[in-house]
Amino acid sequence: MTSPDLSAPATEGETPLLSVRGLARHYPVRLPGGLFGRPGLLKAVDGIDFDLARGETLGLVGESGCGKSTTAKLALGLIPPSAGEIRFDGAPAPAPARQDAAWRARRRRMQMVYQDPLGALDRRLGILDQIAEPFAIHAPATPRGEARERAAALMDAVGLRPDMAARFPHELSGGQRQRVVIARALALEPDLLVCDEPVSALDVSIQAQVLNLLDDLRARTGFASLFISHDLKVVRQMADRVAVMYLGRIVEEGPPETLFRAPLHPYAQALVAAVPVPGRRRARTALRGDPPNPVDAPPGCPFHPRCPVAIARCATERPPLLRDAGRAVACHLAPASPAPASPTPASPPHAAVSAAA
Ligand SMILES: Nc1ncnc2c1ncn2[C@@H]1O[C@H](COP(=O)(O)OP(=O)(O)O)[C@@H](O)[C@H]1O
Ligand code: SF4
Ligand SMILES: [Mg+2]
């Protein structure tokens, strides 16, 4: 890595669709102590930078509680940031609290698919009407017949049969419900689709079908995607670029083929090593312990209490996220010049936490 001022993503060329700088979301909380507890600050997202190009899929991975869903809500403008800036198509995000015309116009261009399709759907409305609903809300001038025709075409595009049109969500399988949610999210041809654990609640046998559908729709319609999952295999399949989060921060970023083959950060190495691979013995070094409480993040490198290769400096000095050659890593022991973004043979720098052969 060359110098600390390379911590922000490179911004040459076309304006990114989504650009995030120093983004943070802190929640005031009460900690045990005193009569009413003492005040604390839960740092759900703690200063992250990333760009998302048009048509690109950025995968966000990390253990539960590391701030992935909070990042999604911030990006969608559903909650306001405590600090930092979000630009969508070059313009600063309007305040979520106002939910005025500017906010709604932007919201229309970004849609969301999340884990629980039943929770996202109206139980009392047939699925064709649900898929047609965005036209009534965001494009009320669309004639009702046309909206229903387009909804029928969307049903076809996501693999739902026409005879299902009048069914209610509870009359469908989990996979079919997620197809309804995807069809509705794509009704207004959004530029950005935020997918937060979109297949985590589905049977493994159905997961691949829904992932293939999303991939196919992305190829056909060209939406960009912020794709969140705790499952590295899923992110590897879907993402053009991957960011690994730990305790509200990005600790490593890079193209999936390089990051998953030769991760640089010891946390990313442990995550990758824990992925079961057919025919390979399980990882020699599993991730030790639970993630620390985000209210009381350790000083220095927040990963140091769990890091098998930590040095004295790690307990006091936080490593900055440094970028070079399409990769980024926040670790004092990261190589001065990491492997380039193109997939070339390389071995992880910290053999102690790499997967057993
Ligand atoms: N509304 C909230 N109030 C207080 N804490 C929250 C709130 N939303 C999320 N958190 C906390 O922020 C941290 C990150 O949460 P989240 O973004 O949901 O993580 P992930 O999606 O990676 O599992 C967690 O510790 C969670 O408990
Ligand atoms: S900075 Fe230190 S504690 Fe943090 S990941 Fe690197 S070696 Fe481990
Ligand atoms: Mg989540």
Side-chain angles (χ1 to χ4, degrees):
M1 295 291 162
T2 35
S3 76
D5 58 345
L6 294 177
S7 59
T11 50
E12 49 188 68
E14 203 187 351
T15 310
L17 179 69
L18 184 69
S19 179
V20 158
R21 293 290 179 275
L23 188 66
R25 173 72 187 188
H26 298 167
Y27 292 104
V29 289
R30 289 261 148 205
L31 300 169
L35 193 54
F36 302 106
R38 58 192 170 89
L41 209 53
L42 188 152
K43 296 177 177 174
V45 173
D46 194 23
I48 59 172
D49 304 320
F50 65 83
D51 284 342
L52 181 63
R54 277 154 232 282
E56 186 188 27
T57 294
L58 174 65
L60 269 190
V61 287
E63 289 164 291
S64 176
C66 70
K68 305 181 296 297
S69 295
T70 306
T71 303
K73 288 179 202 152
L74 289 164
L76 285 162
L78 299 177
I79 54 173
S82 308
E85 188 186 45
I86 303 168
R87 285 182 168 264
F88 185 73
D89 216 0
R98 301 230 312 270
Q99 304 215 347
D100 55 9
W103 185 89
R104 285 197 303 278
R106 197 181 73 132
R107 253 324 251 117
R108 179 191 158 143
R109 297 178 58 194
M110 43 173 73
Q111 296 293 325
M112 183 160 190
V113 175
Y114 45 95
Q115 186 170 342
D116 171 24
L118 201 54
L121 296 170
D122 184 339
R123 289 159 196 252
R124 298 153 305 171
L125 204 58
I127 61 169
L128 184 89
D129 289 330
Q130 305 220 31
I131 296 169
E133 217 176 18
F135 297 108
I137 296 169
H138 291 286
T142 312
R144 189 154 182 274
E146 186 189 325
R148 288 178 66 83
E149 256 173 47
R150 287 168 71 178
L154 283 158
M155 278 185 64
D156 185 49
V158 300
L160 292 168
R161 294 193 315 270
D163 62 281
M164 292 174 167
R167 289 203 198 160
F168 294 101
H170 65 268
E171 296 174 317
L172 302 176
S173 70
Q176 289 167 339
R177 281 181 210 132
Q178 199 59 303
R179 287 170 191 268
V180 176
V181 171
I182 292 167
R184 196 176 58 175
L186 296 183
L188 299 169
E189 298 173 6
D191 298 303
L192 172 65
L193 192 65
V194 175
C195 300
D196 190 357
E197 306 276 5
V199 296
S200 304
L202 304 180
D203 286 351
V204 175
S205 58
I206 307 296
Q207 288 188 0
Q209 292 173 17
V210 173
L211 291 175
N212 289 341
L213 171 68
L214 279 169
D215 213 19
D216 180 45
L217 292 168
R218 176 173 81 121
R220 277 158 52 192
T221 66
F223 57 79
S225 178
L226 186 60
F227 191 95
I228 294 170
S229 178
H230 67 278
D231 186 335
L232 269 66
K233 293 195 300 308
V234 167
V235 170
R236 183 177 196 154
Q237 177 183 342
M238 301 300 288
D240 300 312
R241 198 153 47 88
V242 177
V244 180
M245 285 187 79
Y246 188 75
L247 275 183
R249 296 207 165 205
I250 293 173
V251 296
E252 181 161 356
E253 193 186 306
E257 64 275 16
T258 321
L259 196 150
F260 291 124
R261 185 179 42 81
L264 297 169
H265 194 282
Y267 174 64
Q269 291 176 353
L271 286 183
V272 170
V275 175
V277 175
R280 195 180 74 182
R281 274 191 292 126
R282 249 191 116 60
R284 189 165 53 215
T285 310
L287 207 44
R288 297 185 303 191
D290 294 323
N293 185 342
V295 183
D296 239 342
C301 172
F303 187 57
H304 86 261
R306 303 170 81 191
C307 182
V309 291
I311 53 176
R313 185 181 169 200
C314 302
T316 54
E317 201 182 314
R318 185 189 278 271
L321 182 74
L322 300 181
R323 295 176 188 274
D324 196 13
R327 298 194 72 175
V329 63
C331 172
H332 293 310
L333 297 185
S337 188
S342 61
T344 49
S347 55
H350 312 303
V353 285
S354 65

